[in-house]
Amino acid sequence: MRKILYTSGCCLLLYFSSAAFAVTAVSTAASCPNVYNGAIIVIPGGGVAPYFYSLNGGLIVSSNTFTGLAAGTYNILVTDAMGNTGSTTVFVTVAGFLSSSSTSVSVCSNELPYQFNNINIYGPGFYSDTLTNITGCDSIITLNVSIIPVASSLTNVTICTSQVPYFWNGQNYSSSGVYTKTFPAPSGCDSIATLNLNVSNADIWLGTVNSSWEEPANWSCGVPGPTSDVIIDAGTVVIHANTTINSISLGPSANLTVLAGVVFLVLN
């Protein structure tokens, strides 16, 4: 600051002129590009206290510390008690960095739900999650999911005990159950065939030929034997020869006739 003395008439006048003074600053880096935790400490290098500070032309404050800053360039203006000013430009750097990655997967439809970072995925689409990279900043990972349909078939079969074994896809089956066969596919997703097999002791009266018990075509499973559970819902049935069956169920309109001298034995 300069002081100039001069006279004007009867009086001695003092005139003070404003001058600039040096300003330095120390910055602390923001931890990540999208985080506001950088800081600046301003150090006046001259002038008369107290000092007042302004950041990027903003509010004038008495504190020489600015916090909550993102990475970037800042202009600092300092004014002292006499109106003198000083300024400086400060760079707040960033310590870490953001990162991202993208991955594509193909999932067989019978492998759903597909798990991605503890997220259950049930269909195709883009899915993302935010993790933390080695610098402590956000790492965004994106997964592109496509679903490959799995070919499948279901065969329902009911057969009589006299018709076992049942041959299906290269293998014989003799008891009721659900059986599957897997076939490799070029897509990498196996096709699955399912057999729902019901082996039944029930022999149902059809009566399509005549009334004779001994006619195989009159029965759903051929002429009943000792292990057969016979069902006659309706119609007239005549037994001509000795016969043994496991059980029998007769409907209200069914008529069963056993000829004289013939033994008809029902075990249960």
Side-chain angles (χ1 to χ4, degrees), residues 40-132:
I40 295 174
I41 299 176
V42 185
I43 306 169
V48 179
Y51 300 95
F52 298 93
Y53 307 87
S54 176
L55 181 70
N56 284 347
L59 292 176
I60 297 173
V61 297
S62 59
S63 174
N64 71 326
T65 302
F66 296 93
T67 59
L69 304 178
T73 303
Y74 296 89
N75 296 314
I76 308 293
L77 177 65
V78 182
T79 304
D80 72 357
M82 304 305 295
N84 300 313
T85 61
S87 64
T88 188
T89 299
V90 186
F91 299 96
V92 175
T93 60
V94 60
F97 57 84
L98 301 177
S99 59
S100 63
S101 63
S102 179
T103 305
S104 297
V105 296
S106 297
V107 182
C108 301
S109 60
N110 63 329
E111 295 175 348
L112 297 175
Y114 179 80
Q115 257 208 358
F116 167 62
N117 286 352
N118 296 319
I119 302 171
N120 286 329
I121 294 175
Y122 293 90
F126 290 88
Y127 301 85
S128 63
D129 197 10
T130 301
L131 305 178
T132 302

Side-chain angles (χ1 to χ4, degrees), residues 5 47 61 69 75 86 91 106 112 116 143-144 158 162 165 170 181 201 208 220 231 234 249-250:
L5 301 178
V61 297
L69 304 178
N75 296 314
F91 299 96
S106 297
L112 297 175
F116 167 62
L143 182 69
N144 179 16
T158 298
S162 60
K181 184 79 171 181
N201 288 329
T208 55
S220 62
I231 299 174
S249 174
L250 294 175

Side-chain angles (χ1 to χ4, degrees), residues 147-242:
I147 306 299
I148 302 176
V150 173
S152 62
S153 64
L154 173 63
T155 304
N156 294 304
V157 176
T158 298
I159 60 174
C160 305
T161 53
S162 60
Q163 295 174 311
V164 297
Y166 181 78
F167 185 79
W168 180 74
N169 280 327
Q171 190 168 345
N172 287 320
Y173 299 90
S174 299
S175 59
S176 299
V178 178
Y179 305 94
T180 59
K181 184 79 171 181
T182 301
F183 300 92
S187 66
C189 297
D190 297 338
S191 60
I192 301 174
T194 301
L195 170 67
N196 182 18
L197 179 63
N198 178 34
V199 179
S200 175
N201 288 329
D203 204 350
I204 301 173
W205 173 258
L206 304 177
T208 55
V209 177
N210 50 41
S211 63
S212 175
W213 177 286
E214 293 77 19
E215 172 56 55
N218 282 333
W219 298 96
S220 62
C221 294
V223 178
T227 61
S228 300
D229 297 318
V230 173
I231 299 174
I232 304 175
D233 289 329
T236 297
V237 184
V238 180
I239 300 178
H240 302 87
N242 294 342

